Amino acid sequence: MANDKILFVDDERNLLDGIQRQFRREFSLTTALSGAEAIQCLNADGPFAVIVSDMRMPGMDGVEFLSKAQEIAPDSVRIMLTGNADVTTAVKAVNEGRIFQFLSKPCPPVALRQTLQAALEQYRLVTAERELLEKTLHGCVRLLTDLLGMVNPVAFGKASRIKRYTKRLVLLADGAGGIMKSDLWQYELAAMLSQIGCIVLPPDLMKKVYGGQELNPRERDSFSSHPRIASDLIANVPRLEDVSRAVAFQNLRYDGSNGGKDAPVGDTIPLGARILKVIVDYDTIVSSGSTATAAIATLLERRAWYDPTILETLETLVGLETKYIVKKVNASEIEAAMILADDVYSTDDQLLISKGFELTESVIQRLNHFASNNRLRQPICVLVPAQDTPPQSPKPAPKAVATAG
C-alpha cells in the first residue's frame, strides 16, 4: 500500500485539533507540538510522505526541524506553514530544509488541501522513480555479473568474495576514515563489478593470476587492462559514475608508487578504489594458498600501498571472522549463504563456480539443473559457521599508521 501519511508540526494545539477535524477523513494525519516531538515521531512511526511544519516554535524552529527531518527522511516532501512570511525566512527555509512549498497562515482549507494532495503526488513520483531506477540498476548489474559467471567463473568467484569482505568491512568501519554504511550499496556494486573487465580475458590467465603464478609481459599487460575495461562498461549505466571511478582506480597504490603523472594519490584516490585495493590484494594472497594471518602480514609489510584506516579495519575484521567448518553436501542439501570450500565442476570437468563464492538462490538453481541432468560432480564441499552467532566487536578507532616514503 502506498505511503500517504502526513505529519503536522505546530506549537498551537488548537490549530492542530482544527486540522485533524478538517482533514482526518481525507488524509492519514499525525500531529506533534514541537520539533523535538516530531523528530521522535519520524524515528518511531516514519516514514511520512509529507511533513508540514510551523516556522515559529520554541526550542527548535521550523527551519532547524525541517533540516533535521531532511536528514532522517530525505524522501519526505516538506512544507513550511507560518504567519511570518518574510523573504529571508522563505529563502532560509528553502535552502536549509529543501521545502516543496511555502504557505502563509492562515491558510484557507481549499489551498491547504490542494497543497497536501500535490505533495502526496510528488512523493509518489519521487519514490516510484527511485524504485524504477533501483530495479533497472540492479537488473543491469545482475546481467553483467551473470555473464561473468558463465564466461569466467574464476573471476566471478573472486568478485563474490570481494563483495562479501567489502560489506563486512564497511559495516565494521562505519564512521571511520570517511566510510559510511549508508554508502554500502555503492561499495558492494563496485566490488561485484570490479572483475567484470575479466570477461574478455581467458580463464587460464585468471587461474594463473589468482594462483599466484608468474605472468609473462604480455599476460601482465592483458590483466592490467581489466579495470579500465570494466570502468568503460559501467560508465554507460546512469548513476554509477562513482562506482565506475572506484573500479577504474582499484589497482592504484596509496603512496602513488604505481600511478602515472596525473594519477590520484593518497586520499585523492576514490574511497571505493582504496577499499577495493586492500580487499582485492588480500583475496589474491589467500587464493594463492596463504592463510588469512599470513596474508595480513604480507599487507602490513607493504602498508604504504594501502589506506591505513582500511588496512587496519581489514586486520580487525579478519580477527573477528566467524569460524567455519567444512561440510560435504549434495546439490539438494545446499542452501543460500553457504560458502564454497572448493571449486565446483561438472562431470565433464567444466568449472562452474570457484571456491569462496557465497551461494545465492540463482546459483543454487543452476547447480540443481546440472545435478538433475547428472552433470554435476558431487558431493560439494561448503563452509558452514561453527557457531550460530558470530562474535561482535565495536568498530575500530582509526589510528595513525606509518607509511614508507
Side-chain angles (χ1 to χ4, degrees):
M1 182 177 179
N3 178 13
D4 61 355
K5 296 194 300 181
I6 299 173
L7 175 63
F8 261 91
V9 189
D10 198 297
D11 61 328
E12 297 181 36
R13 184 177 294 279
N14 289 338
L15 184 145
L16 294 180
D17 290 343
I19 288 175
Q20 280 279 22
R21 288 193 298 271
Q22 183 77 34
F23 297 112
R24 64 187 177 186
R25 295 182 184 275
E26 300 176 61
F27 304 108
S28 175
L29 300 175
T30 299
T31 59
L33 285 166
S34 67
E37 183 181 337
I39 293 294
Q40 292 178 349
C41 289
L42 288 175
N43 289 323
D45 303 320
F48 289 88
V50 180
I51 302 172
V52 185
S53 175
D54 185 27
M55 173 59 198
R56 304 270 184 187
M57 296 185 293
M60 182 188 302
D61 66 19
V63 173
E64 183 182 358
F65 161 66
L66 288 175
S67 180
K68 291 184 177 180
Q70 195 271 332
E71 296 177 2
I72 298 172
D75 288 339
S76 298
V77 178
R78 290 167 292 281
I79 297 171
M80 178 69 77
L81 182 64
T82 179
N84 301 277
D86 60 274
V87 174
T88 302
T89 299
V91 170
K92 186 177 181 183
V94 170
N95 289 341
E96 297 186 19
R98 298 186 182 180
I99 308 302
F100 171 70
Q101 198 158 337
F102 196 96
L103 299 176
S104 298
K105 285 182 178 180
C107 182
V110 173
L112 182 56
R113 178 183 293 107
Q114 291 175 343
T115 299
L116 292 178
Q117 291 171 341
L120 285 171
E121 182 61 24
Q122 174 67 13
Y123 178 80
R124 295 185 190 109
L125 288 172
V126 169
T127 52
E129 180 186 17
R130 191 188 67 243
E131 183 179 359
L132 177 61
L133 284 170
E134 287 179 351
K135 288 182 178 179
T136 302
L137 181 62
H138 285 288
C140 290
V141 171
R142 177 68 176 274
L143 174 62
L144 289 171
T145 53
D146 282 354
L147 283 173
L148 181 64
M150 290 185 286
V151 175
N152 198 323
V154 176
F156 181 63
K158 185 175 184 68
S160 175
R161 296 191 299 272
I162 294 169
K163 179 188 175 184
R164 188 171 71 248
Y165 271 103
T166 295
K167 179 178 181 179
R168 294 175 181 176
L169 185 146
V170 170
L171 293 177
L172 185 63
D174 184 34
I179 300 173
M180 305 300 295
K181 66 181 180 182
S182 58
D183 297 323
L184 176 60
W185 70 273
Q186 289 192 33
Y187 301 133
E188 283 192 298
L189 283 180
M192 275 308 296
L193 295 173
S194 63
Q195 309 300 302
I196 199 67
C198 296
I199 203 167
V200 301
L201 301 179
D204 288 344
L205 173 58
M206 301 304 300
K207 289 180 181 178
K208 289 184 68 174
V209 171
Y210 301 141
Q213 299 178 42
E214 187 70 25
L215 303 182
N216 61 46
R218 184 177 180 180
E219 290 173 330
R220 282 196 298 271
D221 289 342
S222 295
F223 182 70
S224 64
S225 68
H226 86 82
R228 176 185 53 78
I229 295 170
S231 179
D232 290 344
L233 286 171
I234 301 166
N236 293 317
V237 183
R239 309 288 179 92
L240 289 190
E241 293 83 2
D242 289 342
V243 173
S244 177
R245 294 186 72 244
V247 171
F249 295 127
Q250 63 179 287
N251 287 337
L252 283 185
R253 298 172 185 170
Y254 191 73
D255 63 0
S257 60
N258 70 337
K261 179 181 178 182
D262 298 323
V265 179
D267 289 345
T268 64
I269 300 172
L271 183 54
R274 284 179 267 152
I275 293 173
L276 285 177
K277 176 60 177 171
V278 174
I279 294 176
V280 170
D281 282 9
Y282 170 79
D283 180 77
T284 299
I285 298 170
V286 171
S287 298
S288 66
S290 294
T291 64
T293 302
I296 290 295
T298 299
L299 297 186
L300 291 173
E301 289 174 1
R302 56 195 195 199
R303 65 182 69 211
W305 293 9
Y306 310 109
D307 180 307
T309 299
I310 297 171
L311 178 57
E312 180 187 355
T313 306
L314 179 65
E315 184 180 6
T316 302
L317 176 63
V318 170
L320 295 173
E321 280 275 76
T322 302
K323 304 304 179 184
Y324 291 93
I325 58 174
V326 178
K327 184 178 180 181
K328 292 184 178 181
V329 296
N330 291 320
S332 60
E333 300 173 295
I334 56 178
E335 300 175 359
M338 285 182 173
I339 299 171
L340 293 177
D342 209 346
D343 295 335
V344 177
Y345 288 89
S346 66
T347 53
D348 57 358
D349 294 328
Q350 175 190 356
L351 176 62
L352 300 178
I353 309 290
S354 62
K355 65 179 180 181
F357 180 79
E358 185 172 339
L359 290 168
T360 61
E361 292 295 343
S362 60
V363 171
I364 291 174
Q365 290 177 10
R366 183 184 178 202
L367 293 178
N368 280 323
H369 174 73
F370 273 83
S372 65
N373 291 287
N374 296 317
R375 295 181 56 209
L376 182 66
R377 192 182 297 173
Q378 302 186 70
I380 299 168
C381 291
V382 297
L383 297 174
V384 294
Q387 53 187 18
D388 293 333
T389 305
Q392 301 294 319
S393 171
K395 66 185 175 189
K399 67 181 182 181
V401 178
T403 59

